[in-house]
Amino acid sequence: MLLAAVLLAVVAAFAVVLLVRLVRARRVLRRAGVPVENTLAFWGALIYVISPVDLLPDPVYLDDIGVLLLALRSLQAAADRYGVGNR
């Protein structure tokens, strides 16, 4: 039981870190003038993470982390297209 709680805490912390990175990436793209339609992945990821509907049960955050990773990858591709450098 303790191992499951520790694993759950680690996965939740990972999801929070990814969410923070997603918000920072969105700010950089917004400042650089990347069009809104390229930030739809950000909004979709936030809606999915907040939504009570999940592909996997709530104690398992793997689907949420996957959605956040896809959003980050999409935002990174948009940044590369518009020449936004890493900060």
Side-chain angles (χ1 to χ4, degrees), residues 43-76:
W43 295 112
L46 280 181
I47 290 169
Y48 182 77
V49 169
I50 294 169
S51 168
V53 177
D54 280 338
L55 294 176
L56 298 174
D58 236 1
V60 180
Y61 293 111
L62 293 177
D63 58 332
D64 296 330
I65 291 171
V67 167
L68 290 174
L69 283 172
L70 287 173
L72 281 174
R73 196 172 285 237
S74 173
L75 289 174
Q76 182 64 46

